[in-house]
Amino acid sequence: MSAALNETAAGWEPLIVSFCCNWCSYAGGDLAGTSRMSYPANVKVIRVPCSGRMNPLFVLRAFQRGADGVLVAGCHPGDCHYTSGNYQSRRRLSAFKRLVEFAGFEPERFEVRWISSSEGDKFAEEMTSMTEKIKALGPNRKMRDARWQSVTSKV
Amino acid sequence: MAERNIESVNKVREAVSQDLLGGRIDLLLGWEKGHYWWQSRPLFARSEEDLEKLAWDSFCAVNLSRYLLEELKDHDKIGVLVKGCDARAFNRLLQDNMVKRDQVILYGLPCPGMLDYNRLIEKAGGALLGITEENGRVILNIESGEQEAQRDDLLLDKCKDCRYPDPAVYDQLLFSPQGEKEGPERFKTVEELEEMSAEERFGYWEKELSRCLRCYACRQACPFCSCRECFVEQENPRWQGRAYQPSENFMFHLVRAYHGTGRCIDCGECERSCPVDIPLQELNRKLIKDINELYGDYEAGLDAEQEPPLLTYRPDDPAAFSEK
Amino acid sequence: MPRTGVFICHCGSNIAGTVDIDKTVEASRNFPGVVHADEYRYLCSEMGQDIITKAIKENDLDRVVVGTCSPRMHENTFRKAAAEAGLNPYLLEVANIREHCSWVHKDMEEATPKAIALLRAAAAKAALNEALEAPRLDVEKRALVIGGGIAGIQAALDIAEAGYVVDIVEKDPSIGGRMAQLEKTFPTLDCSACILTPKMVEAAQHPNINLLTYSEVDEVKGFVGQFDVKIKQKARYVDPVKCTGCGICWEKCPSKASSEFEMGLAKRKSIYVPFAQAVPMVPVIDRDSCLYFRKGRCQICEQECPPQAIDYEQQDEIIERRYGAIVVATGFDQLDPTIYGEYGYGQHPDILTGLEFERIFNASGPTGGKVVKLSDGKPPKKVVFIQCIGSRDKARGMNYCSKICCMYTAKQAILLKEKVPDAKSYVFYIDVRTGGKGYEEFQRRAAEEYDVAYMRGQVGKIFPEDDHLVVRGIDSLTNRNIEIKADMVVLAAATVARADAPEVGRLVGINSDSYHFFNEAHPKLKPVETHTAGIFIAGACQAPKDIPETVSQASAAAVKAIGLLSKEKLQGEACTAEVIQSECSGCLNCEAICPYTAITPVEIEERYKDGVLKRTVAEVNPALCQGCGSCAVTCRSGSINLKGFSNDQIMAEVDAICLQR
């Protein structure tokens, strides 16, 4: 209960988990860094080899554990390091996105973007806009596992 | 008393008994009457005596194909009575390499749709002793006499909007086909839910899913749930928490539905077997609707040769998210 | 419980400037399994690596987390350091607290908690890391070159010279490609055939080169070092061993068809070699026009052939070979300008494309080298060249510059003046682009010494009137309307990818840009590599380019292929998929989606009741698996997992990151 109260307080900051493919989007994130672009620290990136590695269950897990938004990023269609991973994930994640929306999640909670290794600017923009949209929506409590709400960071 | 047509049962029995007694099949999967007249349950027939129990009436809703998963371990060749949905389920299993085509003989039964006992007693408004059927009408035997009703009004939900009542695959078709149906209201509830706000929809599912007992009857009845070990039981990683808790209920049902993407044959057995009446088929139908919208017409189980939509792609596929 | 050591790099002030290192080290000590935490100014330095190696030994660490720059930078450096201390390198994880943290966040208040979250995730993942071994793979000492143009020939010669066997697969009956169609080459005006033919012959005679002409690649399977390729050798209906190339057959052949080599401007026989210097000098019969194949009679070639080399019964043949490396050099096409109605291409014989005009100059071309109009055989006195037909045209054509047109137009204008001294050339251009050694000088010569009129502007309409073509345009510098009564119009049609490039790309397993030009692995640093290891690209299949550039790229691709072929063994991917066969239900959905055909069904036996039950499950070939992990997502029961990025590892990262709540 206390965590929920904290979240409505002015100091609430959303947590956004972003899964980035190693070859394009993660590298795009690196480029955003080397170019000293800036985006909110709310976003935490998990590196996966390919957007095709992105199991929708990871998204639900993140929501259960307290993520307010999840962003999957992969290579642009045609550029997949593994040739077809992003084509496969496009179908899987499109179906899944519609499903979670059907379950009552706001569309902004789960997003997919194609970001290439040369699009450091796009990486920073997408991370910023995702954070802003989630801030506007407020905390996500849907599917949040009550048992995890009491665990707060000591940092 | 629920026999729709004695002759038709005899015809079915005649067709299968030769194969079973002649040794062409070791087992016949059919239906027999349950404890009550409104129940028909799976029959595992191995002898002439067993075949005497065979039933083919308006309560044979149980999808038989799924029983192949277990029975094929003990039998070399099995005969199965298949309605439209049982046949699609068979194709589903075939596509998942769960059966080989030559292990099974399929006796096709074009299906008029199965009746919903709840609708029958509602219609009867009191104690219902039995029914008789003729020409699309159902005559209800109630204490005060007889009452007539349109058969279509008494169908199970899963049958009301069934588009493919005829078996898509069979070795022998026992009756003349019903023809493809429209199923105009198939996506009606899905569309109604889509109209709602995210909050309303979440509220709807929160309420519905709160009843879930996690008995997994839906999974046990489902022809696309053919995994040897279901994700809910996996220890490493533990995808599915064991707790009886709203978040975990969502996890289970969303993942189960997602696992049916492009694979659900829309037989509705999940929903029919749910002891707490969760509208599970709407989750599946949402995915069927979206997959068809996004990636072209696909009806799981209709054609075992057609590649399931999540196992293929086109470079110019659309996406449900911005691709700019 | 693992014994994890966490090491945090200051990277000078790059990390330490925005991440509170002390706080981060302290927080790391509280992560589950962490028994040691330390920091250093530059962990990637010798000293820094020593700190890690020593700590591993002293504290008996079995997992290492390094908080530093991107794993794409120094993961290997640290893995080596761990290996030096006797630890399996895959037990180390990197937390990217520089590119993904200190460099993108403003202050310590923001960056420090995020760095801690990223470290916590890395530690949670590391706890589940397993020792992995990268497989050692064999290398087949043989290369395949797809395309027998100048790029393919050059690459093959270089590889062959290094001592490796090369097969060139060429879809046409002869090697030579586009360069064989050219008259002269800019900026030196040496004759194209004179410099190309010796190379063609050299390739044909090289003991290490096999020419597979009139052949196409049918299937490519396998992976770097071991590509299994099926090549379809189309039936020529001529036995190449018996044939002497005497030419009697095509001399006597009574039926004709449009010549592909002459861009349709001339006819060839139904049994033909595409051009006089063809290599091999072995004709093919074109079934579509041959009287015998169409109507069952004729057989003149068979009767006339002195060595009896004609064989109507010949069948397409499939050759299966294994290669260590593949060079794709499939060249380019020219855009068909019919889509631009205003230029009237296709409606008048004197409106030509650049490549067609090239054939008009050629001594063996449709006019025997006489520069004349195709309409009436008279020499053209006024020729209008129009640049950028379909190039630099966002609205209707290609966004890119075709690169070679400015130069070949200058060349053709010079050649025209030499052949028809009283001819006058006009060039409509958007910009004149002449980057390259001697190029600018060459174009200036055309304008100044050969009286070529360059007009910046565009043409709006071309139509025939009397015996000439009216060209109406605008000079955009003076804003004047221009009308020229021309005898001939030459359209510099865009250089485009081969029509079958998408199919070739799919077949070989390399990707392309939106124009279907094949993508290099890195635009600057890996110009001839592709994203698929062991496959290299050369020439205009990658982007429009001229001959010198093509040849350099071909030699570069050859060097890359040679470097690969010279290796005894290749290091494979350690992070591969793995099937838990006892749980696998054998649906083989993973097999269907695997881009590398790394998954195959295998039959296993299991105890069942009193006996044994045979069932089919999936199996991964770790040599083929590239570790994309798509199979692990397709598998609903989690029975196939990706080592290094396993389901439990990723979920542990999610959980650890969300702990910040």
Side-chain angles (χ1 to χ4, degrees), chain B residues 43-264:
Chain B
L43 166 72
F44 302 83
R46 293 176 181 81
S47 64
E48 194 168 6
E49 199 184 356
D50 291 342
L51 281 183
E52 285 304 313
K53 301 181 211 156
L54 194 70
W56 171 234
D57 62 15
S58 288
F59 300 96
C60 298
V62 179
N63 194 323
L64 294 176
S65 291
R66 202 184 184 282
Y67 290 92
L68 285 168
L69 283 177
E70 277 304 310
E71 295 304 327
L72 276 170
K73 291 180 185 170
D74 296 308
H75 300 90
D76 293 330
K77 192 124 183 174
I78 300 179
V80 191
L81 298 181
V82 287
K83 309 182 295 292
C85 51
D86 307 70
R88 295 201 302 283
F90 177 79
N91 271 340
R92 173 74 263 141
L93 297 177
L94 200 62
Q95 280 182 302
D96 281 343
N97 291 310
M98 295 296 123
V99 296
K100 293 195 182 75
R101 183 64 185 88
D102 61 9
Q103 290 177 305
V104 179
I105 292 182
L106 301 173
Y107 306 92
L109 300 171
C111 174
M114 296 296 150
L115 299 183
D116 185 341
Y117 178 63
N118 289 327
R119 289 215 161 91
L120 287 171
I121 48 174
E122 200 183 312
K123 191 84 194 167
L128 179 61
L129 305 173
I131 59 166
T132 46
E133 291 185 47
E134 55 187 61
N135 299 331
R137 284 172 305 135
V138 179
I139 294 138
L140 310 168
N141 300 321
I142 49 179
E143 278 170 341
S144 55
E146 283 186 351
Q147 191 182 334
E148 214 181 282
Q150 284 299 315
R151 193 171 189 281
D152 283 352
D153 296 337
L154 301 170
L155 290 176
L156 282 168
D157 276 344
K158 68 174 237 167
C159 301
K160 258 191 347 197
D161 290 311
C162 172
R163 287 189 62 190
Y164 307 99
D166 297 323
V169 55
Y170 54 81
D171 295 289
Q172 206 178 326
L173 194 64
L174 301 185
F175 303 102
S176 50
Q178 302 270 338
E180 197 172 309
K181 291 200 301 185
E182 268 301 315
E185 303 209 322
R186 189 183 184 198
F187 297 122
K188 194 174 151 226
T189 313
V190 171
E191 278 159 5
E192 283 167 6
L193 285 164
E194 285 171 345
E195 289 299 308
M196 292 180 184
S197 71
E199 288 313 308
E200 287 168 339
R201 258 200 313 273
F202 186 76
Y204 172 86
W205 285 113
E206 200 176 30
K207 185 165 155 272
E208 295 292 343
L209 296 180
S210 69
R211 293 196 300 278
C212 177
L213 308 166
R214 300 262 288 290
C215 66
Y216 303 137
C218 48
R219 177 191 73 184
Q220 295 312 111
C222 175
F224 75 63
C225 279
S226 52
C227 287
R228 210 170 148 81
E229 187 178 68
C230 179
F231 77 98
V232 303
E233 272 123 17
Q234 265 217 333
E235 284 294 339
N236 189 19
R238 186 174 286 188
W239 309 97
Q240 176 70 60
R242 302 288 189 273
Y244 172 64
Q245 204 248 14
S247 167
E248 298 295 2
N249 288 354
F250 267 88
M251 187 76 174
F252 170 61
H253 289 288
L254 291 185
V255 174
R256 204 188 89 81
Y258 170 72
H259 282 172
T261 314
R263 304 173 68 248
C264 170

Side-chain angles (χ1 to χ4, degrees), chain C residues 186 332-335 387-393 397-408 431 433 492-497 515 517 540 543-546 549:
Chain C
F186 58 78
F332 69 99
D333 276 338
Q334 199 172 39
L335 178 90
Q387 306 296 282
C388 303
I389 306 295
S391 310
R392 305 180 67 191
D393 179 356
M398 317 294 163
N399 278 354
Y400 58 81
C401 165
S402 286
K403 202 169 188 181
I404 55 174
C405 322
C406 285
M407 286 306 291
Y408 80 64
D431 292 296
R433 297 183 164 177
T495 298
V496 295
Y515 306 104
F517 286 116
K545 52 176 67 75
D546 59 22
E549 248 189 299

Side-chain angles (χ1 to χ4, degrees), chain C residues 57-129:
Chain C
K57 289 177 185 158
E58 281 168 11
N59 299 286
D60 207 11
L61 302 179
D62 59 11
R63 299 288 189 284
V64 175
V65 170
V66 190
T68 180
C69 54
S70 171
R72 296 169 55 86
M73 285 287 292
H74 275 307
E75 188 172 56
N76 268 337
T77 314
F78 295 120
R79 277 182 175 170
K80 273 182 199 150
E84 228 159 83
L87 203 63
N88 182 290
Y90 294 93
L91 295 171
L92 177 140
E93 273 302 314
V94 169
N96 183 348
I97 59 168
R98 194 180 74 175
E99 283 85 341
H100 283 212
C101 187
S102 70
W103 276 352
V104 286
H105 306 314
K106 291 278 172 266
D107 51 38
M108 290 211 175
E109 221 168 286
E110 223 191 344
T112 307
K114 176 162 169 184
I116 293 168
L118 294 178
L119 283 158
R120 190 195 295 114
K125 183 183 181 195
L128 299 167
N129 280 15

Side-chain angles (χ1 to χ4, degrees), chain C residues 9 18 60 75 86 115 122 139 182 192 253 307 375 382 395 401 414 433 492 561 614 628:
Chain C
C9 182
T18 29
D60 207 11
E75 188 172 56
V139 185
L182 305 182
S192 188
C253 173
S375 57
K382 274 187 186 176
C401 165
I414 289 175
R433 297 183 164 177
K614 280 185 188 171
C628 69

